[in-house]
Amino acid sequence: MKLFEYMEKYDYEELLLCQDKASGLKAIICIHDTTLGPALGGCRMWTYDSEEEAIEDALRLARGMTYKAAAAGLNLGGGKSVIIGDPRKDKSEALFRAFGRFVQGLNGRYITAEDVGTTVEDMDLIHEETDYVTGISPAFGSSGNPSPVTAYGVYKGMKATVRQAWGDDSLEGKTIAVQGVGNVAYNLCRYLHEEGARLIVTDINQEAVRRAVEAFGARAVDPNEIYSVECDIFAPCALGGVINDETIPQLKARVIAGAANNVLREERHGDQIHELGFYYAPDYVINAGGLINVADELLGYNRDRAMRKVETIYDNIEKVFEISRRDNIPTYRAADRMAEERIQAMKNARSTFLQNPKSILNMKE
Ligand SMILES: NC(=O)C1=CN([C@@H]2O[C@H](COP(=O)(O)OP(=O)(O)OC[C@H]3O[C@@H](n4cnc5c(N)ncnc54)[C@H](O)[C@@H]3O)[C@@H](O)[C@H]2O)C=CC1
Ligand SMILES: CC(C)CC(=O)C(=O)O
């Protein structure tokens, strides 16, 4: 990948490589766009096959956050970070505090939170070094782990998508294939089970599978079988790129609606599933609940207010399908159009000069 060519193509602002020999930290912080406000996005810890794969993941995830915040109506930009390492054995206080110092060094341009492989406890360690972190322990007046709220938003978005496909939003009796039953999807499965859906689950972590089978009477399949099982809804809740040339021909579902970021391997796969008649809930629209939740922390966390805003994911999904039908475009393009229109409007807005403590007239001592 030619980095500057890619960054110019999608108009990225910043890509920061973070190295701390003492703690072993190797991390990437990517800020895509801060037109709407400071970049907010989770910190993923994963065992990448290469540095290039980690950089590419950070870039794609950061841009997704810009669109996620814009489509959700938040005054936030898009950013994301990845820590290269095994979350099961490479974590340490020194590692996360070193990461926190890099976040602090960006002086509020990037605010971090949880993502794959990181937890509230990890965020609390980062919080030792910077206030530009969300999803920390409720003891600090925060919202804690955002995953359950993300799950609730995915549940509401899935219902809205089901309504588009079958005319009513009930999940009772629907068979739902869930790929990856970690933080978000375990909570999602609870909502689906309570509404009477039949669950098929898979995970590369057998403990995660066992937990879901025991709690929700789910049927377990191997990771490579999840794409071909007979089901009504395929819910990708693991990593990205899972809608691709190999998997699309296997899918039996009518609806694709899940928590995972960057589900489409390439944009052309979004065109392909549209042409094949799939009802696809764009990932950054349906999984915005966690972001909405932690964004509320910046106002002084109020759970009722946050959950009311998460409920609007249902309406946002309906809006995306309306644009898709009106303009005869795939839903992923409809979502991009919704987000880009808001970002461009703000880029174009030329605010009149306002006297404030930050203006150049107040800089001199
Ligand atoms: N945590 C949050 O609030 C949010 C998470 N997301 C996205 O949702 C997805 C899940 O996030 P979390 O639940 O927080 O992460 P997690 O790490 O708790 O869960 C992911 C699960 O997927 C499993 N997995 C990984 N590769 C797999 C494969 N090839 N096949 C089957 N299972 C596999 C892992 O073993 C793990 O159990 C990620 O894509 C994340 O970026 C999006 C918005 C917010
Ligand atoms: C802001 C986090 C809670 C979630 C996140 O990074 C995401 O929505 O992908």
Side-chain angles (χ1 to χ4, degrees), residues 195-241:
E195 192 167 327
R198 287 191 292 269
L199 298 176
I200 301 171
V201 299
T202 194
D203 200 298
I204 56 175
N205 174 339
Q206 286 315 303
E207 177 52 29
V209 173
R210 186 199 56 75
R211 185 178 64 158
V213 168
E214 268 187 17
F216 311 117
R219 175 162 75 92
V221 297
D222 288 341
N224 58 11
E225 291 176 28
I226 196 70
Y227 301 106
S228 57
V229 294
E230 289 294 337
C231 65
D232 300 301
I233 301 160
F234 172 59
C237 297
L239 301 180

Side-chain angles (χ1 to χ4, degrees), residues 44 46 61 68 80 114-118 145-148 150-151 179-185 202-205 208 223 227 236-240 242 259-261 287-291:
R44 173 175 293 191
W46 198 250
L61 288 165
K68 187 174 307 191
K80 204 84 167 188
E114 290 87 343
D115 190 75
V116 171
T118 58
N145 182 351
S147 303
T150 300
Q179 180 186 48
V181 273
N183 282 323
V184 173
T202 194
D203 200 298
I204 56 175
N205 174 339
Y227 301 106
C237 297
L239 301 180
V242 296
N261 279 308
N287 73 17
L291 175 61

